[in-house]
Structure formats: C-alpha cells, structure tokens
Amino acid sequence: MKKLLWGLAGLWLSTAAIAQETYPVNGVADRREGAYAFTNATIVKDPQTTLRNATLVIRDGKIVSVGTGVSIPADAVVVDCKDKFIYPSFIDIFSDYGVPAPQRPAGAFNYNAPAQLTSNQKGAYSWNQAIKTDVDAVKLFSVDEAKAKQLRDVGFGTVLTHQKDGIARGTGVLATLQSNAENLVILKDRASAHYSFSKGSSTQSYPSSLMGTIALLRQSYLDAQWYKNKPAKEGLNISLQAWNDQQALPQIFDANDKWQAARADRIGDEFGVQYIIKAGGNEYQRINEMAATKAPFILSLDFPQPQDLEDPNDARFVSLTDMKHWEMAPSNPAAFEKANIPFAITAADLRDQKTFLVNLRKAINYGLSETKALDALTKAPATMLGVYNTVGSLDAGKIANFIITSGPVFAERTNILSNWVQGAKYSVKEDNWKNIVGTYNFTVNSATGAPQQYKVDVRGSSTASLIAKDTIAGKFSFDGNAVRFNFAPEKNVRTNIRLSGFRTGDQWQGTGVDTAGNPVWWTAALASEQTVKGDSAKDRRMAQTMGDVVYPFTGFGLKELPKQETILIRNATVWTNEKDGVLQGADVLIRNGKIARVGKGLAEPGARVIDGTGKHVTPGIIDEHSHIAAASINEGAQSVTSEVRVGDNLNPEDINIYRQLSGGVTTSHILHGSANTIGGQTQLIKLRWGANDEGLKFANADPFIKFALGENVKRTSSNSNNRFPDTRMGVEQVLDDAFARARDYERALKGKDAKNVRRDLELDALVEILNKKRFITCHSYVQSEINSAMKIGEKYGFPFNTFTHILEGYKVADKMKAHGAHASTFSDWWQYKMEVVDAIPYNATLMNRVGVNVAINSDDAEMARRLNQEAAKSVKYGGMSEEDALKMVTLNPAIMMHVADRVGSLKAGKDADVVVWSDHPLSIYAKAETTIVDGAVYFDRAKDAELRKQVAAERNRLIKKFIGEKKPGAGNTQPPAVASMEYMHTCSDHAHSHGLLVVDAEEAALYNN
C-alpha cells in the first residue's frame, strides 16, 4: 500500500511538473501540485549541519521547510523516514551528459595527407577551428534518461555539462537529472566557459604541439581584448565576440595532469583569469605547486587498476612510476584536503558510473574526511558556479534535490534508496527500505542429515557472500519481500545449494535444494554482531602501507630536494678554463651556491670535504643543443612559429635529466625542432633534478629562438607537402618576408594609432630579434644557405648568433667570424643524409683555428651523457689542445649563450656548477663522481648506488602488492602495460628504434609530427 501511495504521489508531482504554459496539451490538462513531508529522518542539511528526528517538507519541486517541529501541510503525503538519512543530491560540474560527442572526420589524422593550413569551418568564425567559443551546450543539450539514471543511482541530481571538444570549448549548461522536457530541467543556460590543451576534433594542422596550443590560447586572449574596440579591419568575428561574452562566467580548464594544471594557471595569471582546474589524479605528487595556483579544482575518482603480475617477470614491462601511482592515486583527494585546496568531485572519466561510490569510499579510506567528501559533492561545486542559492544544500526555497539513504551515505553497506530531483522521486534501491545489510545466521535443514549452519554477509539487495574458510560470493537477490540465494558450500565445489523464500519481520525462511538435489528448508536471522569485510578494510591497509612521494615522482626520485652546501674539494687537478689554466693539487671552495675561491691550501670550518686526490675538477658541462625535458619539440604546422615557447612545456620528470647529471652535464639549451624556417623560442635550463618546471629555468638568461635551413624546412622528401617553402630559395624568402612584416609591425607599434594595433606574439619575437633582445640559433648544414642567412641578418641589422650542426662550417668559417656567428657542431657525425655528405671530423678544429667560437653539442639524450668524450675527439682530429677541447663543452657554449659571466669556468663569484671526475675529463674512463649545480649536489655516484638498491626494493614491494590483487575478491586487474619513454634526438631522415619509443625531433617535420 505504501508503494502504491508513493507511486501515485510521484505521478501527482510529475503531472504538475509537465504542465508547460507555452506548450499545447493533447488531452485534459491536470495542474495539481503535490507536497511531501519526510519525517523522523536524520537530515544532513549541509556538510556542517546535521538534524536528528527532523522533517523535510517539499512542494512543487522546491523545499518548503526543514528542521525539527516544522508544520506539516494537511495535503502532504507523509513518508516515515525512521532510521533513514536524507542528504542533498550530488552535483557534478564536469560532465558531458546530454551533449553529443563530437564527430571526428574519417581520415582526419592521416600524417601522410597534406597539411590543412586554414580552418574549414564556414562562416565568420576564428581562423583556427580548435577555438570553439561559438558552441553553447544548451543548444546541443537533450535529456538522456539512460545516462541520467546511471548518475542518479550514485547520488547525482544536478550536472554542469559541456561538449568536451577543442581548446576553447564554449559554454556549459547547468541541468538537473529529472526525466522531463529540456526547458524544465535547465537551471542555467550559460553557466560556465571551458578550455583545454586538446584541439579535439579539429582537423587543422595548427597547433600540432602543446607549446603551440599554449601560444594559440595566449594569442586568443590578446585578440579578444583587441576585438573589444571593434576594429574595422577585422569585421565580424563570432568566435572572438563569444570569447569576450564568456569571460564573466566561471572559467573551467580541463588540465588533467599536475604539470598541465600549473601551465593552465600561468596562462590564467597572465590574463587575470582564475580558472577552476579539472585535475587528472596525479596532483598529490606536486601538491605544493597545486596550492600555489590558488585555484579551486575538480577531482576525478578514476583510480588506476592494478596490473596483472601473476607472473612476476611481467613486472619488467611496468614502470616504477606507474606502480607507485596505482598505490597512491586514491590519496589524491586527501592530499587536497590536507593542503586546504578547495575542490569538487566529479564522476567524469569513470568507465562505469557504478564504481563512483566504491572509489569515493576508497578515497575516504585513504584519508579524505566524510565531511569534505560531502562538501565536494554539494556545497563546493554549487559555490564554484555561483548557484548555491539554488542547489547544494537542503534549505527552504532551494530546488528539492535530495537522496534518501539507508545509513550514513559513505558507509560501505549503505544503500541509496531513492533520489528526488526537482521534487520527482526516482527509486534506486528502494527494496532495501527495510535495511537488510548485515551478517546472518543461516540454518539449512534436510531430511537426510543434521542441520548445516552458515554465516552469510549480506551487503545489499543483490550482493552477499558465504563466510567459511574462504569468503565465497554467491548469487543473491532481494526485492523487498522475496529472497533468492545460491551458493557453493565450499570453495571449488561446482554444485550450489539453491534457496528461495520470504521475509517475515526480521526473519527469513523458505525452501530449496542441496548439492545432491534433495529438498531442504531454511531459516535466517540477523546475527548479534556484524563483521566488516571487503574492500574498505583492504583499502585502509593499503593506505597504511603506502610508499612516499618523491621528487620527481619516478625512479631515482628524492624524498627531499638537494640543498646548497658549503663544500671544499681538496687536492684535485682543477681545470679552471681561466688564465690560470689547469692547476695541480688545488682546492675549490663552494659557498652559498657560488664558487668562493680556487687555490691551494684552502680551509673552511664546517664545510663538507671532498677528497680530490687523483681526481679532476671541471666546470659543469653545457649542452648547447638538446631536446630533453620537454613535452613537445616541433610546432611544424606553419613556416613561422616564433610565438611558441619551449619553456611553456618543460617536463622536469624526464629521466634524462638525472642520466645527464651522471655525465657531468649541468646546463642544457632546450631547442625547438627544425620543422620550420622560424621555429619556437628556446629555453636554457639547469639540471636541477626534482625541481618543478619553473625551477629548471636558468634565470635571467638572454632569450633565444630556433631557426632552420635546408631539407627539414622545405620537406623535399614529403610528397604531400603543401606548406611553403618547397625550395632553399623559398626558405630565404620566408626569412625576408617575416622580418619585413616585423619591421612594419614595429613601426605601427610606434605610430600614432599604436593603441589600435593588434598585438601579435609571432611578430613580437621577431621584433626582439631586430632590436637584439632575442638571439638566433640556426639549424644549418650547407654553406650556401649559411651565407644567405647571414645576408638576411645583415640586411635587417641583426646577427645570426649561433649556427648549430654547421657541418660545412669549415668552408665558411671566415665569413662566420666576420659576421660574429658562433658554431655549435657535432664531433664526427657524417653521411646520414645528403646535406651532410661533406661533413668531416676536422670541422670543429678548423673553425676554432679561424677564430670562431666553437661548441660541441649532443642533439641527443644519450650522447649528452658523454659530451666530454665527444669534445676529446677534436684532440685526435686536428690536434686541438686539451684545454680548448674541454672549453667546447663548458666555456664556449656559455659564451655563445651569453652566460659566461655565470657558468663555464671555475672562478670566484660564478655559479657553483662543478663536476668531480674520477679520471682525466677527456678520457673514456672518466666518470662523473659528483655533479654540483648551484652549490647543491644533484648527483653523487655513491648515493646513486644506494638509490639503485632503493628502487629495486620499492619495485619488489609494489610487485608483491600487485600480486596480492589477484587473490579472490581482491579486485579487478588489467594486463601489464608496456612502459615507454620518448626521447628527442637527431639520427637521419627517419626515426630509429633504440630499444625505446624514439621520436626524431629534428626530422619529425617530415612526418608532420
């Protein structure tokens, strides 16, 4: 009878809800309004307020009153909620519910197809089709009952939904999960603006890299600001107008990774925008950086599944990083709470919505408080969107969105009984209105033997397990009256006991058959004590035995970052690279990150002493041409991409940082690739292992940019190339045209109408070159192109600072010296493509003799570890002195990068970037025993041996945990995922495999990478 009344009441209320004024009614209109009073409940009004024996009254989809002693309307349907809990329904503010997924054109990402240089979107829209600010989710939105039910069943009543496509994604719509017409469920039609680092379904070639995406975002902000003045030359731009219209809305950025979150926040800071950042689940690894953003976050509960390591040998396919992340990912929400960072929780990213509450309880077992969990699902998301006056708590006047549960909502055995959305009731597990969760004593009687006693753990209307020597899951169902239960009495017994019956009060009884097919009758009663078993207990144990967060979060990471020390290196052979030359039996004193003194007989009380007897000390090695520690290298979609910045996408967790420290490298110049004539802005870094991306940067260094000449730019080997230029002559014209445009742009900026000039990031960088505030390093091989490039520079009044590769440099060394160019070359690379057929190993020596400042670079993550040996080759080829050879990987690159006043030699006052070698630094037997950066020891060979043992021990510990996940009932696993690593280098005109996934950064342009 109660169910019938509830059903009629639900019909009554929903009838009132669908009485739409502007829509015709086909039949007799029924405009009755319904009221409910939910009495005797524990009502959790908001995360801080819980009312006992309270009443909630709703009418016409709104909350009328809530509290103790409230008046119950005479026409209200009264629902006795004794022993029940009522909570606000949850809010998900990162959903795509009801919005169609974008359709990606077939063949859109064929790398062998010609580049799509312009947008194919018809109309007065942005030049780039990844800017989709014209998309309003409200115009795409439709109620999807199947998906709505999935979300309602885990407690959600309201969602903010948007189309997850593009870099600028347009606006989101706030809607409830009621099964009603769209116009009645939409609470706010334009509730938010959305952004990401993914261009989504865009088929346009630009951007093709992370740094290109960031440049496009920055330029779009500038263009939108400029468009506010309605420039006549622009005409109508729907995308920019929409961009401006959306800036007052909550701004949500889909970062989906800890470093991406930091990058997004820096864009926001540049333009005065505070994003709400959608996280990816690994932010606990850099929680201090997350706190520094001052941003509210949206956290997913998509925790990684353990990988199936039943065969321990499979562990070789799984990285330590992946294993540690699997173990620690559920602690992500707790880390945010501990750091006092505001956050909401989303069901986004979950493959199965049913796992939401399971994973939420896992997060609670890993340290998230239940109060904060509720806040993150109710008040926090409503507050972020500015709609807390409408949803997010159970206050009078708000929408009647609430859930009724059988117990505290986050308790393991609690069921959501019903979810009320805009006052309409949706049953979830209402069959459990009479709580059945607990441990029962089952007695099975038969005519052929003694009664059999069992304990059965009932966890819900469809989940139960037999508790014996092993916990054995059975098939169980309960519809509020009838019960069915099949179970095997012992593990590995195939024949089940099959029981069915009915509930009478707290007793269950019925009949069935035993394993032999004989009839039985049975009874069950709730045990006096309940047991808690299963995932929650396991999760708590997992949380208690977790490893530590290390910096970076990978193998050879450190629990604490290296600190500056006072260090005294005694009695070593010291290569000063200064007029003192090589000193025998000398000392080097380091204090406060600087070289304090170089000499003999030095003393410093309290200093850490390194015995240099029989060892050699040099300045840290400097690699002028590297591609490590970057998330992307080439933005090759256009001929000129001077707006992009390598520094926007540094990856401080690249293991090559640590490996190169082991080879004595302390400074690296991270270059854009050679995909285009004018590439991106470079980034000089120091190899501070464990620092964040900003902490890697070499502070206050002159800015540089990468240019390129020759085959890579004109793409002769690519039959599908449709991007200008196609010839070496065209390369020269691209340079001439770019600087002609830059000169005109600079004049406009200085003109009378400067305030109306559109700020252009591409031309800004070129103007810096014209004014000698940014400097060029140019990929080059052929002498004719080197000459033509220098003539372009002389035409516009700037030098080509550095020619890199420069394997025909020996042919034009005199012209380079007159021009003022430096040379950064390979030691003995040759014959790997047509452009280098004239390469000779004497190149460096010959240019050095002419008076050109010469460096040896790596352009390769592996070769950089032995640049000292690469430099030594010039001693053999051409008879270069040993000191001059060492300078080619220390002082000379410092000179060409304008930082020789700080690094490159051992001189008092310079940065303490120092290497202690086991042998002569040009010897193939020399090992870097200690590598010091800014007075902090970042590599120590003895410490490295300890770290190797720690890595092995940590892997073994985690492998055992993985194997434990295969135990019955322990959880799902997935096949081992092969860990791969990208590293950037130059080989030839195609990528080579060296046991790893290899991306050829220099030649990748040939394949539109």
Side-chain angles (χ1 to χ4, degrees):
M1 183 65 182
K2 180 171 66 176
K3 286 188 179 181
L4 178 61
L5 287 174
W6 279 49
L8 290 173
L11 176 62
W12 185 8
L13 190 58
S14 61
T15 302
I18 62 172
Q20 304 167 45
E21 297 295 340
T22 62
Y23 289 73
V25 176
N26 182 22
V28 178
D30 186 345
R31 300 190 59 181
R32 291 175 294 173
E33 294 182 355
Y36 280 103
F38 302 87
T39 62
N40 303 317
T42 299
I43 298 179
V44 183
K45 229 177 107 177
D46 56 56
Q48 287 73 41
T49 309
T50 299
L51 306 175
R52 310 289 178 184
N53 276 330
T55 297
L56 172 70
V57 177
I58 67 171
R59 182 185 294 277
D60 197 20
K62 294 289 186 69
I63 297 172
V64 175
S65 58
V66 60
T68 56
V70 302
S71 176
I72 298 176
D75 63 340
V77 176
V78 178
V79 181
D80 184 2
C81 292
K82 186 177 184 300
D83 299 327
K84 306 300 182 292
F85 287 69
I86 300 179
Y87 294 85
S89 294
F90 304 153
I91 303 168
D92 191 335
I93 64 171
F94 197 81
S95 177
D96 58 0
Y97 163 76
V99 176
Q103 298 299 311
R104 291 172 171 78
F109 301 102
N110 180 2
Y111 288 122
N112 294 318
Q116 182 190 321
L117 301 176
T118 58
S119 172
N120 60 13
Q121 183 180 15
K122 304 301 182 184
Y125 297 98
S126 167
W127 72 274
N128 193 284
Q129 67 190 68
I131 302 300
K132 300 177 182 293
T133 48
D134 56 286
V135 174
D136 289 321
V138 68
K139 297 177 182 178
L140 306 173
F141 176 77
S142 62
V143 170
D144 184 334
E145 174 53 24
K147 290 184 178 179
K149 183 181 186 307
Q150 292 175 3
L151 290 164
R152 288 195 305 259
D153 284 356
V154 292
F156 288 96
T158 307
V159 294
L160 175 68
T161 181
H162 73 287
Q163 189 169 68
K164 297 176 180 178
D165 183 37
I167 293 171
R169 297 174 164 182
T171 62
V173 56
L174 186 69
T176 71
L177 294 172
Q178 191 184 29
S179 299
N180 212 328
E182 284 77 13
N183 62 311
L184 294 180
V185 303
I186 292 173
L187 303 182
K188 198 169 186 180
D189 58 345
R190 299 175 82 251
S192 54
H194 296 261
Y195 309 85
S196 81
F197 285 128
S198 170
K199 69 180 185 180
S201 63
S202 170
T203 54
Q204 196 168 347
S205 300
Y206 184 92
S208 62
S209 67
L210 173 60
M211 55 187 169
T213 298
I214 293 173
L216 179 57
L217 272 168
R218 296 177 65 237
Q219 186 64 65
S220 296
Y221 272 107
L222 293 171
D223 288 349
Q225 291 172 359
W226 169 76
Y227 187 75
K228 288 179 181 179
N229 295 325
K230 301 295 182 184
K233 290 183 179 180
E234 180 72 4
L236 175 65
N237 190 314
I238 298 171
S239 302
L240 292 181
Q241 183 60 55
W243 184 295
N244 286 331
D245 292 343
Q246 294 163 16
Q247 292 309 297
L249 301 175
Q251 308 284 295
I252 299 179
F253 202 108
D254 182 8
N256 217 34
D257 171 78
K258 59 184 185 291
W259 299 123
Q260 298 287 61
R263 293 172 185 128
D265 184 67
R266 284 194 284 269
I267 295 171
D269 289 346
E270 182 177 355
F271 296 99
V273 176
Q274 181 59 74
Y275 293 123
I276 301 167
I277 297 177
K278 161 62 169 57
N282 60 4
E283 291 73 20
Y284 65 92
Q285 300 167 11
R286 289 284 179 171
I287 200 67
N288 291 336
E289 282 84 347
M290 300 305 100
T293 67
K294 307 297 184 185
F297 280 75
I298 304 170
L299 305 186
S300 167
L301 300 180
D302 182 28
F303 305 140
Q305 289 183 334
Q307 299 184 37
D308 183 355
L309 297 184
E310 188 170 12
D311 180 356
N313 288 326
D314 289 342
R316 68 189 188 276
F317 297 123
V318 186
S319 72
L320 179 62
T321 301
D322 287 346
M323 285 194 283
K324 285 182 68 67
H325 179 53
W326 160 75
E327 179 185 51
M328 302 186 74
S331 69
N332 199 46
F336 274 82
E337 181 179 7
K338 184 177 180 181
N340 201 30
I341 303 171
F343 64 91
I345 289 177
T346 177
D349 307 328
L350 293 174
R351 294 182 181 179
D352 185 353
Q353 301 294 336
K354 293 178 182 177
T355 63
F356 175 76
L357 288 174
V358 174
N359 285 5
L360 181 57
R361 289 162 184 155
K362 182 187 286 282
I364 289 169
N365 284 320
Y366 274 68
L368 175 65
S369 72
E370 293 189 11
T371 299
K372 191 63 178 178
L374 182 61
D375 178 83
L377 287 166
T378 54
K379 183 177 181 179
T383 301
M384 290 177 191
L385 296 180
V387 294
Y388 190 57
N389 61 334
T390 303
V391 289
S393 69
L394 301 180
D395 291 301
K398 292 189 176 182
I399 291 174
N401 281 11
F402 57 93
I403 55 176
I404 302 177
T405 66
S406 61
V409 67
F410 302 127
E412 182 183 6
R413 297 176 181 233
T414 291
N415 288 308
I416 296 176
L417 304 174
S418 58
N419 192 342
W420 294 68
V421 183
Q422 287 182 273
K425 174 191 168 189
Y426 297 92
S427 294
V428 181
K429 288 189 176 180
E430 203 166 14
D431 293 338
N432 287 344
W433 187 265
K434 173 65 176 176
N435 186 25
I436 63 169
V437 174
T439 302
Y440 289 75
N441 291 323
F442 265 65
T443 302
V444 180
N445 299 279
S446 71
T448 59
Q452 299 295 312
Q453 301 289 335
Y454 300 99
K455 284 191 180 293
V456 174
D457 186 26
V458 177
R459 303 181 66 181
S461 61
S462 61
T463 307
S465 301
L466 176 73
I467 303 173
K469 294 179 181 178
D470 295 292
T471 299
I472 304 171
K475 293 182 178 179
F476 178 80
S477 67
F478 178 70
D479 64 3
N481 189 24
V483 60
R484 289 181 175 83
F485 187 32
N486 295 352
F487 65 91
E490 295 182 25
K491 190 175 182 181
N492 299 324
V493 173
R494 294 185 177 181
T495 307
N496 286 353
I497 296 175
R498 302 186 299 278
L499 308 175
S500 62
F502 296 89
R503 182 181 68 182
T504 304
D506 289 333
Q507 297 290 320
W508 292 351
Q509 58 185 337
T511 60
V513 294
D514 63 15
T515 56
N518 299 312
V520 298
W521 61 96
W522 62 274
T523 59
L526 186 66
S528 58
E529 294 184 1
Q530 296 186 358
T531 59
V532 178
K533 294 178 66 66
D535 288 343
S536 290
K538 181 194 72 174
D539 292 340
R540 286 192 290 273
R541 291 193 299 271
M542 289 280 289
Q544 291 166 1
T545 59
M546 283 195 305
D548 297 309
V549 174
V550 292
Y551 305 96
F553 194 79
T554 185
F556 299 90
L558 308 170
K559 293 181 181 179
E560 293 185 1
L561 298 183
K563 296 180 175 59
Q564 290 182 349
E565 301 178 68
T566 299
I567 301 172
L568 179 59
I569 306 170
R570 282 181 172 164
N571 194 34
T573 299
V574 179
W575 299 61
T576 67
N577 281 353
E578 294 288 339
K579 62 180 180 181
D580 294 333
V582 180
L583 303 176
Q584 302 295 329
D587 308 333
V588 178
L589 177 61
I590 295 169
R591 188 192 304 121
N592 298 325
K594 300 290 184 180
I595 297 172
R597 292 180 62 190
V598 178
K600 295 186 178 183
L602 303 183
E604 182 72 12
R608 171 182 175 179
V609 177
I610 297 176
D611 184 3
T613 303
K615 300 174 183 179
H616 293 247
V617 177
T618 70
I621 286 177
I622 301 172
D623 190 355
E624 190 278 335
H625 185 144
S626 178
H627 297 296
I628 68 165
S632 63
I633 291 296
N634 262 316
E635 179 50 67
Q638 298 175 342
S639 295
V640 179
T641 58
S642 48
E643 72 278 4
V644 309
R645 306 182 297 195
V646 170
D648 284 336
N649 73 162
L650 291 178
N651 172 22
E653 295 183 328
D654 186 347
I655 190 62
N656 288 300
I657 296 173
Y658 184 75
R659 290 174 178 168
Q660 292 184 16
L661 283 164
S662 76
V665 182
T666 57
T667 299
S668 290
H669 191 196
I670 314 305
L671 304 188
H672 185 278
S674 55
N676 29 20
T677 307
I678 299 179
Q681 300 169 34
T682 69
Q683 182 61 56
L684 190 63
I685 67 171
K686 288 205 178 186
L687 304 192
R688 303 181 181 109
W689 182 238
N692 60 29
D693 53 349
E694 288 295 294
L696 289 180
K697 294 180 179 179
F698 197 122
N700 302 316
D702 279 351
F704 276 69
I705 189 169
K706 173 74 174 291
F707 282 24
L709 309 172
E711 293 292 336
N712 292 3
V713 177
K714 66 189 187 69
R715 300 182 173 188
T716 303
S717 62
S718 176
N719 294 327
S720 62
N721 179 46
N722 63 331
R723 189 201 74 184
F724 186 85
D726 262 338
T727 66
R728 298 180 194 273
M729 296 181 293
V731 173
E732 180 181 4
Q733 288 307 303
V734 168
L735 288 172
D736 200 353
D737 174 72
F739 284 105
R741 288 188 292 115
R743 187 173 55 190
D744 292 343
Y745 172 70
E746 183 182 27
R747 288 170 179 166
L749 289 174
K750 296 177 179 178
K752 295 180 180 179
D753 198 31
K755 65 179 181 180
N756 294 322
V757 176
R758 170 183 172 269
R759 172 94 180 277
D760 190 318
L761 294 175
E762 174 188 307
L763 295 178
D764 281 349
L766 301 185
V767 168
E768 290 176 344
I769 296 170
L770 290 173
N771 293 321
K772 299 183 178 64
K773 293 181 179 179
R774 182 172 296 279
F775 303 90
I776 299 166
T777 181
C778 185
H779 166 112
S780 57
Y781 289 105
V782 179
Q783 61 169 325
S784 59
E785 289 189 303
I786 298 166
N787 276 326
S788 66
M790 289 190 291
K791 289 177 181 177
I792 290 290
E794 289 161 3
K795 174 179 178 180
Y796 289 96
F798 63 84
F800 273 69
N801 187 90
T802 306
F803 285 99
T804 190
H805 304 323
I806 194 71
L807 295 184
E808 289 189 17
Y810 64 94
K811 298 181 181 180
V812 289
D814 55 340
K815 296 181 176 63
M816 291 171 59
K817 180 182 178 182
H819 180 77
H822 306 266
S824 182
T825 188
F826 298 130
S827 58
D828 58 355
W829 288 29
W830 67 288
Q831 199 68 7
Y832 52 89
K833 60 179 178 176
M834 285 301 298
E835 283 185 312
V836 297
V837 292
D838 283 353
I840 58 174
Y842 305 95
N843 185 41
T845 302
L846 292 174
M847 289 189 291
N848 181 66
R849 287 178 183 174
V850 172
V852 176
N853 181 50
V854 181
I856 298 291
N857 69 64
S858 75
D859 191 17
D860 178 80
E862 175 61 24
M863 183 174 291
R865 295 194 302 112
R866 51 182 186 275
L867 274 177
N868 59 317
Q869 297 175 28
E870 294 299 302
K873 292 177 181 179
S874 289
V875 177
K876 175 180 179 179
Y877 296 113
M880 184 180 290
S881 74
E882 291 183 349
E883 288 185 65
D884 282 348
L886 182 65
K887 286 178 181 178
M888 289 199 298
V889 291
T890 52
L891 183 60
N892 293 2
I895 292 170
M896 67 181 60
M897 291 186 290
H898 309 174
V899 290
D901 60 328
R902 295 171 58 182
V903 293
S905 66
L906 301 180
K907 179 181 179 182
K910 282 195 173 187
D911 293 355
D913 294 359
V914 181
V915 184
V916 180
W917 301 88
S918 64
D919 209 321
H920 191 295
L922 300 182
S923 168
I924 60 172
Y925 301 107
K927 297 179 181 178
E929 293 191 343
T930 307
T931 304
I932 302 167
V933 182
D934 296 322
V937 176
Y938 278 89
F939 178 81
D940 178 272
R941 199 156 291 274
K943 177 66 174 176
D944 176 72
E946 294 178 12
L947 286 174
R948 290 173 185 270
K949 293 178 182 178
Q950 291 174 15
V951 167
E954 184 73 345
R955 286 185 64 85
N956 288 335
R957 182 184 69 83
L958 288 165
I959 289 169
K960 290 178 181 178
K961 268 194 172 183
F962 270 50
I963 294 173
E965 291 298 297
K966 283 293 290 181
K967 293 179 181 179
N972 295 325
T973 59
Q974 61 184 353
V978 178
S980 63
M981 179 188 71
E982 292 185 355
Y983 74 97
M984 314 298 189
H985 77 146
T986 295
C987 279
S988 63
D989 287 341
H990 57 280
H992 288 271
S993 172
H994 296 282
L996 299 169
L997 174 62
V998 176
V999 175
D1000 185 334
E1002 289 293 338
E1003 323 311 348
L1006 302 176
Y1007 301 94
N1008 293 328
N1009 286 345

